[in-house]
Amino acid sequence: MVEMQFFQTYVVVCQPPPRTQSVLPIAFSKMETNKSKSFKPNWRCLIAYLTMSLAHCQCGFSTTSISGFQAMVGFLSVYGHPDPKSKTGWNMGTTPQQLAASFVNFGTMIGILCAQPIGNYLGRRQGLWLASVVSVLGSGLQLKSSNVAGLYARRIIIGMSNGLFMAIAKAYTVESAPMDLREGIVSLYAVWISFGCLLGAVTNTFTEHIHTSWAYKIPLTCHIAIPSLLAILLVFVPESPCWLLKSGKVGEARRSLAVLRDRTPAPDILEKEMFEMGICIEVQQERGRRSQYLNLDIWRGCSRRRTILCLAVILSNSSSGIWLMLSYGTVVFQLAGIKQAFQASIYNNLANLLGTIIGLYLCSRMNRRTMLMTGHFVPALCMLGVAVSFTFDSEAGYARMVVLVLLIAHGFFYYAFSSVLSAPIWAAANVLTGCKSVCILDHL
């Protein structure tokens, strides 16, 4: 009887709700039910989730640090050419700058696409170990100066490690976190990515005055620290119990779940969670057998509309202009005539971090549609203001100040209300798509 009740509860939550029924009361009622059964996290549980946060922190750290290299004299003197019209006296050219930034994103796409087969075959821990090796390899190869083509190839490797870190670490957290704490724990990855971006901006500020290749080699050396620490901490982190159960290792899955929850949990509570996990895996495998090609269930029936809405919400963020700042933030500040461009990058990333934290707070207190509309409308006005400001004399002090304020406000409102790194998009994707396709759309 107890098992049948758990099976019925799981089926109700996972199936797409009818149009006249809201999924939120069901989800919240289940959350309240689980609160009374939740385990107290122990030190190893905290180490596991902090270890996953290091993976997200490395993604932000490397992305911001590498993007700032293009504003360093030491980097431009190696990969660029003298340009008396440039504010730094050096230039890299439009096409090499675009490709240098784009190949990092291209590598990230490759890493995300490879994360699922690698994570399913090797496991979550081994997948993160592999990502750490790739990250150290990519950073180490960039320490040796080469031509621009070699720079592109090495940046693809860095991007691949970032994609593996993000996808596998998030999968581990979703699979291992307690049900009543899952949303909060998963949402914290946005804070750690923003914190890593802030670390990258601070690191570049300490070396930007060096006019030799060590200006970018020192930050690249710092890139090795976080993956190395991550690889060491993974020794004390148990494997994902969900992955172990999928692999048929029931005993190991039970021991891993016991370590993540409590060393001496009530046997009935542990078995109930194992049973729910097993039902979830069986339902996913059954759907996979029915839809063997790209999981076509997300394009069928009532799921089609939710899938299109979710993709539209996620893709709408690329039009906000945030990737301009992520890829060329410090360069944009230099072009705007801001003398302390690297310090301005710190202020910008600090505003992004504060916006992310505020966004997590507002996520459960504001309407999703209002947040998304605010997060797109205000950054659009900021970008319009930046475009108008660039028509003024760049030597005018008020023009530089306007650009600085607008770009910082742009990042703050974007991260607080509509960022793909923040909780609103994650929560909206869960509600719009249903639990069977969240992971697929999150990879997209």
Side-chain angles (χ1 to χ4, degrees):
M1 180 63 67
V2 173
E3 293 184 355
M4 181 61 65
Q5 291 177 352
F6 271 89
F7 178 77
Q8 292 173 351
T9 303
Y10 177 80
V11 171
V12 170
V13 173
C14 286
Q15 284 185 344
R19 294 182 181 270
T20 58
Q21 183 182 11
S22 173
V23 72
L24 292 179
I26 300 175
F28 282 121
S29 63
K30 183 169 179 58
M31 185 178 295
E32 293 295 330
T33 303
N34 285 338
K35 281 184 179 180
S36 61
K37 301 177 181 180
S38 61
F39 303 101
K40 294 181 180 180
N42 56 4
W43 65 271
R44 190 166 290 194
C45 174
L46 296 176
I47 288 180
Y49 299 134
L50 287 176
T51 302
M52 298 304 111
S53 68
L54 286 177
H56 299 306
C57 185
Q58 172 66 12
C59 297
F61 180 48
S62 62
T63 300
T64 303
S65 180
I66 289 176
S67 67
F69 292 169
Q70 301 179 59
M72 293 181 176
V73 175
F75 180 82
L76 295 175
S77 62
V78 176
Y79 295 101
H81 55 83
D83 184 2
K85 296 182 180 180
S86 174
K87 296 184 182 299
T88 60
W90 294 85
N91 204 342
M92 191 176 178
T94 303
T95 301
Q97 276 189 330
Q98 291 176 341
L99 292 177
S102 299
F103 276 120
V104 177
N105 299 330
F106 178 68
T108 303
M109 293 171 59
I110 296 177
I112 291 177
L113 292 175
C114 296
Q116 186 171 0
I118 290 176
N120 291 340
Y121 180 75
L122 296 178
R124 311 309 184 203
R125 282 204 312 169
Q126 285 77 4
L128 288 173
W129 267 319
L130 176 62
S132 301
V133 172
V134 174
S135 179
V136 172
L137 178 64
S139 300
L141 289 175
Q142 288 193 70
L143 291 175
K144 180 177 175 55
S145 302
S146 66
N147 55 20
V148 179
L151 175 67
Y152 297 157
R154 294 162 186 176
R155 291 205 168 186
I156 291 177
I157 297 176
I158 286 287
M160 290 177 60
S161 67
N162 289 344
L164 292 173
F165 275 138
M166 285 191 292
I168 298 179
K170 188 185 295 184
Y172 182 95
T173 306
V174 171
E175 294 172 352
S176 304
M179 182 68 69
D180 57 317
L181 301 176
R182 184 169 299 168
E183 181 179 357
I185 292 176
V186 172
S187 298
L188 286 176
Y189 84 98
V191 177
W192 286 103
I193 290 181
S194 298
F195 181 72
C197 292
L198 180 60
L199 285 180
V202 171
T203 305
N204 287 350
T205 303
F206 281 105
T207 62
E208 57 94 9
H209 64 279
I210 303 175
H211 291 178
T212 64
S213 60
W214 284 105
Y216 68 92
K217 287 183 178 180
I218 293 176
L220 283 174
T221 305
C222 296
H223 290 184
I224 301 176
I226 295 180
S228 301
L229 179 61
L230 174 64
I232 295 173
L233 290 177
L234 283 173
V235 177
F236 306 97
V237 174
E239 182 58 86
S240 167
C242 184
W243 180 83
L244 291 171
L245 199 58
K246 286 181 181 179
S247 304
K249 303 175 182 179
V250 181
E252 295 183 25
R254 185 178 288 105
R255 288 192 294 271
S256 176
L257 186 63
V259 170
L260 288 171
R261 298 297 183 264
D262 194 350
R263 289 198 173 276
T264 57
D268 57 336
I269 297 178
L270 190 63
E271 291 302 322
K272 287 177 182 179
E273 188 166 357
M274 286 286 296
F275 178 78
E276 287 181 324
M277 197 179 299
I279 291 295
C280 179
I281 294 173
E282 289 181 4
V283 172
Q284 290 177 354
Q285 291 176 346
E286 178 62 26
R287 286 179 176 140
R289 285 190 291 266
R290 293 201 309 264
S291 304
Q292 298 180 1
Y293 302 100
L294 298 179
N295 201 334
L296 297 180
D297 276 350
I298 65 176
W299 301 104
R300 292 174 178 169
C302 61
S303 297
R304 184 188 303 113
R305 180 174 179 270
R306 291 195 294 267
T307 300
I308 294 174
L309 287 175
C310 180
L311 290 176
V313 168
I314 294 176
L315 293 176
S316 66
N317 288 275
S318 62
S319 62
S320 66
I322 193 63
W323 280 105
L324 172 68
M325 299 306 299
L326 290 177
S327 300
Y328 311 102
T330 311
V331 178
V332 171
F333 288 129
Q334 278 187 347
L335 294 175
I338 299 173
K339 296 181 179 180
Q340 303 294 333
F342 286 89
Q343 284 80 351
S345 179
I346 294 179
Y347 303 147
N348 185 46
N349 283 282
L350 180 60
N352 296 345
L353 177 59
L354 293 176
T356 303
I357 296 174
I358 293 175
L360 295 177
Y361 175 80
L362 295 177
C363 183
S364 59
R365 291 165 176 82
M366 284 186 65
N367 181 275
R368 306 286 191 229
R369 180 180 296 178
T370 302
M371 292 190 68
L372 293 175
M373 292 177 65
T374 303
H376 285 81
F377 181 72
V378 176
L381 290 180
C382 293
M383 278 296 172
L384 178 61
V386 171
V388 174
S389 301
F390 266 81
T391 62
F392 300 153
D393 185 5
S394 61
E395 299 300 327
Y398 67 90
R400 294 195 295 266
M401 186 57 62
V402 168
V403 171
L404 177 61
V405 172
L406 288 177
L407 289 177
I408 291 177
H410 169 272
F412 174 82
F413 279 95
Y414 173 80
Y415 277 85
F417 291 95
S418 67
S419 171
V420 292
L421 304 178
S422 216
I425 295 295
W426 174 260
N430 275 273
V431 174
L432 288 173
T433 62
C435 59
K436 66 179 180 181
S437 52
V438 166
C439 293
I440 297 174
L441 293 175
D442 184 52
H443 277 63
L444 292 177

